[in-house]
């Protein structure tokens, strides 16, 4: 029993020393301009890579990912129809599609689907 405690303490102290050494040795002392600039095959960049990001593009991307995940959840439902109870499968499918339609209505109501902006 005492040997397990001693081995555990040795492992704890060795891992603590290694983590302490890693944090001390990995400190960056100087912020280098070259390291913080983007790399383009060894050449200086022609323009700034820190362009402002379009929030509209981000929202459209998030909506696409949500619908993509929904498709990934709907496809297995088609495959398990033969192996499950028809009433339970129908109820689950209807509830899932109602939740998707409520989400679509909310996005439409918030104006997220307007592409003209």
């Amino acid at each position: 029993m005492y040997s397990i405690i001693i081995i555990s303490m040795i492992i704890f102290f060795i891992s603590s020393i290694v983590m302490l050494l890693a944090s001390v040795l990995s400190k960056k002392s100087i912020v280098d301009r070259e390291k913080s600039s983007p790399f383009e095959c060894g050449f200086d960049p022609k323009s700034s890579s820190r362009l402002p990001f379009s929030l509209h593009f981000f929202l459209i991307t998030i909506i696409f990912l949500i619908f993509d995940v929904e498709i990934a959840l709907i496809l297995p439902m088609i495959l398990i129809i033969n192996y499950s109870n028809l009433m339970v499968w129908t109820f689950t499918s209807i509830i899932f599609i109602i939740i998707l339609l409520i989400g679509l209505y909310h996005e439409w109501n918030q104006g997220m689907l307007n592409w003209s902006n």
Side-chain angles (χ1 to χ4, degrees):
M1 178 70 179
Y2 290 116
S3 64
I4 293 175
I5 294 174
I6 292 172
I7 291 173
S8 299
M9 290 176 63
I10 291 171
I11 291 173
F12 175 75
F13 286 124
I14 290 174
S15 61
S16 298
I17 290 170
V18 168
M19 288 191 310
L20 181 68
L21 284 174
S23 67
V24 168
L25 294 177
S26 69
K27 297 287 183 189
K28 298 192 179 8
S29 60
I30 301 172
V31 177
D32 192 11
R33 186 182 71 84
E34 292 297 323
K35 288 183 180 177
S36 63
S37 68
F39 180 73
E40 292 184 6
C41 300
F43 298 104
D44 290 331
K46 293 183 180 179
S47 63
S48 174
S49 66
R50 310 283 191 242
L51 298 175
F53 190 73
S54 171
L55 185 62
H56 188 69
F57 175 74
F58 176 74
L59 292 175
I60 291 171
T61 306
I62 294 298
I63 291 171
F64 170 75
L65 287 175
I66 290 170
F67 283 115
D68 195 39
V69 170
E70 291 168 359
I71 294 296
L73 293 174
I74 288 174
L75 285 177
M77 289 173 57
I78 297 168
L79 296 175
I80 66 166
I81 190 170
N82 293 333
Y83 305 110
S84 64
N85 185 357
L86 190 60
M87 289 298 293
V88 173
W89 183 87
T90 305
F91 181 72
T92 305
S93 300
I94 288 174
I95 293 297
F96 185 71
I97 291 175
I98 287 173
I99 290 171
L100 295 181
L101 289 175
I102 290 171
L104 179 64
Y105 174 74
H106 178 70
E107 289 171 356
W108 190 358
N109 196 21
Q110 293 293 320
M112 296 295 164
L113 301 177
N114 291 337
W115 290 70
S116 60
N117 272 349

